Structures are given as C-alpha cells and as structure tokens.
Amino acid sequence: MAQKKKSRIGAWIIVGVILVGLAGFGTGGLSGNIRSLGKVGDKDVTVAAYQRALDEQIRALSAQFGSQISFQQAQAFGIDRQALSQVILTRTLDNEAARMGISAGDTAVFDRIRAIQAFQGGGGFNRDTYRLVLQQMGQSESQFEAEIREDLARTLLQAAVVSGVPGPAAPAETLVRYVGEARDVTLARVTADMLTAPVPGATDADIDAYYDENADQFMLPEAREITYVWMTPTMIVDRMEVTDLAIASLYDQRIAEFVQPERRLVERLNFSDPANAQDAFDRVTANDVSFDALVTERGLTLADIDLGDVGRDELPSDTADAVFDAAPGAVVGPFPTTLGAALYRVNAVLGAQEVTLEEASEDLRAELATEAAREAINQEFDRITDLMAGGAPLEQLAEQTDLELGRISWTPDMTDEIAAYETFREAAQAATPGGFSRLEVLSDGGVFALRLDEVTPAQVPPLDDIRDQVAAAWQLQAQQDAIVARANEIAAGLTAEADLESFGLTPRQETGLTRRSFVEATPEGFSQVIFDLDLNEARVVDGGDSALIVRLDRIADADPQATDQAAQRAAIADSLSAGIAQDLFEAYAATVQQNTRVNINQGTVDSVNAQLQ
C-alpha cells in the first residue's frame, strides 16, 4: 500500500532513544564534516537520513536472517543502494510538496511530536525530555521539526493523489460469489475388498516393463563409502570409577536442586502513590473490583506483573510473611517496594521438595562417570592427533587406542549410530577421496576421524537385484488400477436417484462445501474436482490405495446478504482499492522523479560507506 512508503520518523526516534550510544548499525555518527550527499531539486539529501535508511534496512534484513549482518554483507545484498534510492524518493516527494506549496501548520507539527512516546514524561509531553532526546541524537529542535513538517506534507500529497480511488465493487462481488459458492456431494469409497475378481500376479514381461517405465522409483541415492574410527563417552563410561565421596560432594554443591523450600507463584501490581494502592486494596477486599480488573485499569497485562515462583528469602520479611501466609487467590498488601507501593496476589503454593542423597546417587554417579569419560577422551586427543600426524591409518589407530573402527555406506538420509551426529554428517558430505583424515569432536564430547574410500553415484540397481521389489510395486499398482476401474464402472451407472448402498458402498453426504473447505480423508485437489462437476455428475478420484466416487447433488450460489460475505466483500474491495492506490501513487512518484533534478555525489556516498565499514 502507498502508506508503507511514508517516512517512519516516529519509529526511528523510538528506536534511536533505545539504541543511543549502542551498536545499532551506523548510529554512532560519522567523523569529518560530511553532512550532505547532494540535492534532489532544492532539497538536501543528508548523511543522517541515509544512515537512518541504512539502519532500518539492515535491521530488517538481520531480523530476516535471525542474526546481525555486517555492513559489508549488507552491501553484497545491495542494501546501500536500496537505502539511497529510498532517501532520494523521499526527498523527491518533499521537493514536489514544497513546489506545490503543500505544508503543515505548527499545530499539526506539535500534535505529531506530542504523540511520540519517547518524549513523554510523568504528565504527558515533556519539553525537557524532548530537548534531551534530540540532544542525545545529535539533532536540533529546528531540524527535527522541519523533518516532521516535511513528513506531514508528504502525507498530504499522498492523500491528495490516492483519495479519489473508487472501491471496485464489481470485481469484489465476483470474487465473493466465487469464494462463497457451495456444493453438496455424496461420497463413497471403493476398496480392494470390493473387486469382483482377483488381480493376477505379475509376469516377467510385466516386471520388465514396470522396471523400465518407473526406474526413478527404485533409484538409490549417491552413497559415500566411509571408513571411520570413533569413541564416545558412552563407549567407555563403564570403565570410569566414581567414588561415593565425589557423589556426596556434587550433591552438596547442588543442594539447591535437591532441597527446595516452599515457594509461591506471585503477581505484583505497583502503584506510585501509596494512597492509590490502599484504595485499590480496599476495593478488592470489598469485592468492588477484581484484581484482574485492577490490572486492566492500569493498562497492563497479567504477564507484565508476573513475578513467577518466588521464595521467602526473595521478598522483604514483612511482605514474605503475608505472602506465605496467604491462601491461593488471596491479595495482600500494600507493601513498599523500590517502585512504589504494591499489591501481591498469590496464585499457587509450590510445596517444599527434597531428594535425598541416596535417591540422587544413581543419577549423580552416571553424570560424574560421563564427565570422567569426556575428560579421558580429551586427554587422549593429543596422543591420537600425534599418531595421525605420524601417518597412522585409521585401522592402526583402532589397534593402538580405544577408538573403534567402523565402515558405513553413508547417504544424507541416514540417522543411525555415528550418522546421527551433525558433525559427522557434515564431515562425510565434505570429504574427498584421498583427503587427509583429522580428528573431530562430536556434540557429546566424543571424537571421530573418517576416510572417504569411494563414492558410489546415484543409480538404479540391476533388475535381478530388486526383482521382488519391482514385482511388489507392480502388484500394488495393478490392484489400484483395478480399484479405479471398478469405481468407474459403478460411477457410470449412477443417477441422481441411484442407491449407492445397492453397489455395496457406504455413502456419506458432505454439505455446504466451499472452495476453502477441508474434507477429511480426501486426496489433494479434491475441492477442485467437486467444483468442476456438473449437477448429478459422478466422478472417480484416485485415492492412492482406494478410489473415491463423488457425485454432485446440489449447487448453492453465494448468499449476497450473508454477514460473513458482506465482510469479505468489504475486505476484498478495500484490498483492491489499496492495490490500485499503491500502483497509482508509485506511477505518480516515478513521474515526479523523472521530472526532478537529482544531483548525488557518488564520491561522497563512497566516502560515507567507507567510514561505515
């Protein structure tokens, strides 16, 4: 939509406040005296505007990838060019608005500034906060207010361009009727036990033909013949000795896990004024208002006030006494906190728990033994690496160390034994014949090394090796073909009045099906089939291991008076209007840009980019 093209001044202000001085990309400022990249018409293209556009684009791309990307990576994606184009377009519209005499008054500018959350104080807009935030951002009040004024003017220009776009009622009506059409159908499933004759077995000629026509069905993936050695903590854990003293010591170190005092699930609602807190408590006590309603009155959610489970030692003594004496659901308070007076609600009691040393010993012994096994493998790492550096093959390593020798015909879909480890799978995929083996670490602290002996390309096995498999596949297909043929025989004799039960079928009716309906146990594309049928027509749908006979019993046109369809019509019309408006505004903006003088100093842009490296 065209609205998406508006400058998001409010958004970058809020983000800027949060990230001032931090590592939001490019927000640290540039050294030197570069302030402008050039002009668009009579409007300067400032470095600050370019930086903000870059920040926004890079944050969006980082969110898409799930990690922070560098400026160099952003350049590889063309983000710098996109940001510059965005700024040039914005300044083009600013220039056009100024040329046409479109402007916003002081009242409108102040109303916009006053609504920005970053400038709020205890009683609303705060002039000192406003001045301080802008100072931290390195921007003067006059500069910022000029940007706000230009942003409002652009909005007015955009609104003037798109305000006359009519709602396309006819296309919306057509789409609603299309979506709202409904069908009533009768379904009956034909299965193998309804065949009137057995399916004959495959002849040699049948098997040969099926093998030739369906070779891809029997294709074996590329296999990598790998020899490997490995050792994991599990392999040697039984050799590890663990003393009772070590178990007792670990138990004592982690006593908090095994001996937990009584705790409470608690919510805390703070009030800056103790009198307001007392008034709220009195209202709850008198059942004039619920605690949940109090939270809503404050503009908060229960998640905002949730403290989770707390122990007695995590609360001041007087608060802890009241909270731990209260029954679940009770509200106590008010009590002083660093954030003002607070009411507490107890949601649940978590009883004290204790796991004795004797009860925990088995698990602790296993944990210590596993850790000892990891340490033993770690101590062997250098010796094994030295043997490998000396030219010892994997077979010799298995003889001279605790490493176990193995061989695998590895494919990417294998997930058993050593192939269950991602590190092994990556190494197996990357290995090359004749490559140097190296000792690598597994996720559980184990180690391995591998050697790629041979690569077997993807291939179809010789027929003689898989004849039974091919024969079984032919038999399944022959049976399915017979089922579909039987279903077609039945469907050919169906009429609107035909009784499907007389054919040995169990029919079921599905009514009011639209193109968006889901019908259980039907194959993909079923909805399209029922909307392709003529009234009383029957058709067979292949179900993979069965066949579905579908008969169309009734066609129901969309009800133009239905509430849901009226809402759909309005939504579709709005969407179409928005699309037309966006296309119109983009065409207008492109025309304005073509007719506006743009003078950008690429050398200056390159200099700015160099400082952002």
Side-chain angles (χ1 to χ4, degrees):
M1 294 175 60
Q3 288 291 347
K4 293 181 180 177
K5 296 188 176 290
K6 295 196 307 179
S7 172
R8 299 176 176 82
I9 291 178
W12 68 254
I13 288 174
I14 297 171
V15 173
V17 173
I18 298 173
L19 299 180
V20 158
L22 300 180
F25 177 82
T27 54
L30 297 173
S31 60
N33 296 317
I34 300 175
R35 292 290 180 267
S36 173
L37 302 180
K39 281 183 172 290
V40 175
D42 296 327
K43 297 292 185 179
D44 283 326
V45 178
T46 65
V47 171
Y50 175 56
Q51 282 185 278
R52 289 198 298 270
L54 273 175
D55 288 348
E56 185 176 339
Q57 296 267 10
I58 291 176
R59 280 195 297 271
L61 191 60
S62 298
Q64 181 179 342
F65 283 102
S67 61
Q68 180 65 39
I69 67 170
S70 66
F71 179 70
Q72 290 85 348
Q73 291 171 316
Q75 280 188 304
F77 285 102
I79 294 300
D80 56 330
R81 296 186 296 277
Q82 294 178 28
L84 183 59
S85 296
Q86 176 185 328
V87 174
I88 289 174
L89 175 60
T90 297
R91 297 306 276 162
T92 300
L93 296 174
D94 289 341
N95 184 75
E96 182 67 7
R99 188 189 68 80
M100 298 176 66
I102 299 174
S103 183
D106 293 341
T107 301
V109 172
F110 178 67
D111 287 343
R112 170 70 71 85
I113 294 173
R114 185 172 55 184
I116 296 174
Q117 187 63 36
F119 303 146
Q120 304 299 307
F125 175 77
N126 186 286
R127 182 78 186 184
D128 292 334
T129 302
Y130 172 58
R131 187 179 298 109
L132 176 62
V133 170
L134 293 183
Q135 182 181 351
Q136 290 174 327
M137 295 177 63
Q139 193 169 29
S140 70
E141 293 180 42
S142 60
Q143 289 173 327
F144 180 70
E145 289 164 9
E147 290 184 2
I148 292 288
R149 198 179 303 276
E150 288 179 332
D151 182 51
L152 291 171
R154 278 198 310 277
T155 302
L156 291 172
L157 174 61
Q158 177 177 326
V161 172
V162 303
S163 60
V165 176
E173 182 66 29
T174 300
L175 286 172
V176 167
R177 289 185 179 278
Y178 177 82
V179 172
E181 279 185 337
R183 300 288 190 269
D184 294 349
V185 298
T186 298
L187 309 178
R189 191 172 298 278
V190 179
T191 56
D193 57 1
M194 298 178 186
L195 296 177
T196 56
V199 178
T203 65
D204 287 342
D206 292 331
I207 294 174
D208 290 344
Y210 192 86
Y211 176 80
D212 292 339
E213 295 168 6
N214 300 277
D216 290 347
Q217 183 177 336
F218 307 103
M219 179 75 71
L220 296 177
E222 177 187 274
R224 301 171 75 81
E225 309 302 328
I226 290 173
T227 298
Y228 64 91
V229 289
W230 70 322
M231 176 168 49
T232 68
T234 302
M235 293 178 181
I236 62 173
V237 69
D238 292 340
R239 307 180 206 168
M240 302 297 109
E241 294 185 4
V242 178
T243 66
D244 291 341
L245 180 61
I247 294 173
S249 176
L250 182 60
Y251 178 84
D252 290 339
Q253 291 174 24
R254 290 162 46 185
I255 192 66
E257 295 180 23
F258 303 110
V259 180
Q260 296 184 354
E262 192 175 274
R263 298 177 70 81
R264 296 288 189 274
L265 294 180
V266 177
E267 294 164 335
R268 182 181 68 189
L269 181 60
N270 282 89
F271 295 83
S272 57
D273 187 345
N276 290 340
Q278 184 63 53
D279 178 66
F281 179 75
D282 293 340
R283 291 168 62 200
V284 171
T285 304
N287 293 322
D288 292 338
V289 66
S290 67
F291 187 79
D292 289 353
L294 281 179
V295 175
T296 302
E297 285 181 7
R298 298 291 312 283
L300 301 171
T301 67
L302 293 179
D304 296 329
I305 65 169
D306 186 19
L307 294 182
D309 61 294
V310 298
R312 181 180 286 273
D313 58 348
E314 297 174 56
L315 298 171
S317 58
D318 55 344
T319 305
D321 290 341
V323 167
F324 276 77
D325 288 342
V331 176
V332 297
F335 294 103
T337 72
T338 56
L339 300 176
L343 302 183
Y344 293 81
R345 179 168 68 175
V346 179
N347 287 320
V349 175
L350 304 179
Q353 298 181 6
E354 180 177 357
V355 178
T356 66
L357 174 60
E358 182 179 359
E359 293 170 336
S361 288
E362 183 176 347
D363 289 340
L364 293 177
R365 184 182 300 276
E367 182 179 334
L368 288 169
T370 300
E371 186 59 36
R374 291 195 189 98
E375 182 59 29
I377 293 173
N378 188 51
Q379 291 176 0
E380 282 286 281
F381 192 93
D382 289 342
R383 186 170 79 90
I384 297 171
T385 301
D386 290 342
L387 289 172
M388 295 177 68
L394 301 184
E395 291 79 1
Q396 183 179 337
L397 292 178
E399 293 174 359
Q400 297 183 1
T401 70
D402 289 328
L403 291 166
E404 292 186 8
L405 184 68
R407 291 181 176 82
I408 185 173
S409 183
W410 182 81
T411 61
D413 59 349
M414 298 181 68
T415 56
D416 296 329
E417 298 288 334
I418 194 170
Y421 293 88
E422 181 65 26
T423 309
F424 177 85
R425 293 196 296 271
E426 292 175 355
Q429 186 65 55
T432 56
F436 178 74
S437 299
R438 110 187 137 168
L439 196 62
E440 300 196 50
V441 179
L442 297 169
S443 57
D444 59 359
V447 294
F448 77 96
L450 62 80
R451 180 182 69 228
L452 177 60
D453 299 322
E454 183 183 359
V455 177
T456 302
Q459 60 182 324
V460 179
L463 176 57
D464 289 342
D465 292 350
I466 58 171
R467 179 170 290 274
D468 290 345
Q469 182 181 347
V470 176
W474 181 93
Q475 195 70 34
L476 285 175
Q477 186 60 57
Q479 176 176 282
Q480 181 60 17
D481 291 343
I483 291 172
V484 172
R486 175 58 182 154
N488 279 314
E489 289 176 9
I490 297 172
L494 287 182
T495 64
E497 296 77 22
D499 181 6
L500 290 173
E501 293 181 353
S502 64
F503 293 92
L505 302 174
T506 304
R508 83 173 196 261
Q509 277 71 43
E510 296 284 349
T511 61
L513 299 179
T514 69
R515 286 181 169 83
R516 295 181 297 181
S517 295
F518 170 76
V519 182
E520 186 177 0
T522 58
E524 185 178 355
F526 173 76
S527 291
Q528 184 59 48
V529 170
I530 65 174
F531 279 87
D532 288 342
L533 291 174
D534 293 327
L535 188 62
N536 298 324
E537 180 186 358
R539 189 175 298 181
V540 174
V541 181
D542 192 331
D545 57 357
S546 62
L548 199 62
I549 298 176
V550 186
R551 184 179 67 194
L552 179 59
D553 299 327
R554 178 174 172 269
I555 297 175
D557 292 333
D559 179 6
Q561 304 304 319
T563 303
D564 61 332
Q565 292 186 20
Q568 288 179 10
R569 187 181 299 104
I572 292 172
D574 288 345
S575 178
L576 292 173
S577 295
I580 295 172
Q582 179 176 344
D583 292 342
L584 178 62
F585 187 77
E586 288 177 351
Y588 170 78
T591 301
V592 171
Q593 212 165 357
Q594 290 173 1
N595 297 325
T596 302
R597 176 173 41 83
V598 177
N599 183 16
I600 298 296
N601 188 322
Q602 188 58 46
T604 303
V605 175
D606 293 340
S607 176
V608 171
N609 287 345
Q611 295 183 60
L612 295 173
Q613 299 283 344

